[in-house]
Every structure is written in structure tokens, then in C-alpha cells.
Amino acid sequence: MDAKQNRFQQQAIKQQLSRQDAIRFINVLTSAELFDLLESLLPEHRERLFPPTETLAM
């Protein structure tokens, strides 16, 4: 494998790892223990395709 291929593969792995952290984070925020608390702390917001918790996860 040449250096260019190695860099590409490393970047792809880093992207996957960063996505996993975001998924773990939103899973913790929306866990049974924290979901009601999180919902109670959110400001009033209109219904939309991506509510604040999903936006935060992205």
C-alpha cells in the first residue's frame, strides 16, 4: 500500500470513530435514566424534523 492509500484509510477510520462517539453520546443523553431530565431542561421548541436532541447528536 502506498502512502496516499494509507492516509485515505486512516482518515476513513478516524471518521468512523468520531461518528461512534456521537452515537454513544446521543445514546447516553436519551437513555431511560436521563431522557426525562433532558426533555424537562429543553427550551420550548416547535415540532420539526430534527428536534434539539437530534441536532446536538449530529
Side-chain angles (χ1 to χ4, degrees):
M1 220 183 263
D2 68 1
K4 187 176 180 179
Q5 288 176 322
N6 282 339
R7 266 186 268 119
F8 178 77
Q9 189 174 37
Q10 288 172 353
Q11 289 172 345
I13 291 169
K14 286 179 185 179
Q15 287 175 346
Q16 286 293 335
L17 289 174
S18 69
R19 286 187 198 123
Q20 292 300 322
D21 288 339
I23 292 169
R24 269 190 248 138
F25 181 67
I26 195 62
N27 286 342
V28 168
L29 286 180
T30 57
S31 66
E33 298 84 17
L34 293 179
F35 186 76
D36 289 335
L37 176 63
L38 177 65
E39 287 291 314
S40 72
L41 296 173
L42 287 175
E44 289 293 319
H45 64 277
R46 60 183 165 74
E47 288 301 314
R48 52 187 151 200
L49 184 59
F50 298 108
T53 50
E54 288 184 44
T55 303
L56 178 63
M58 287 187 247

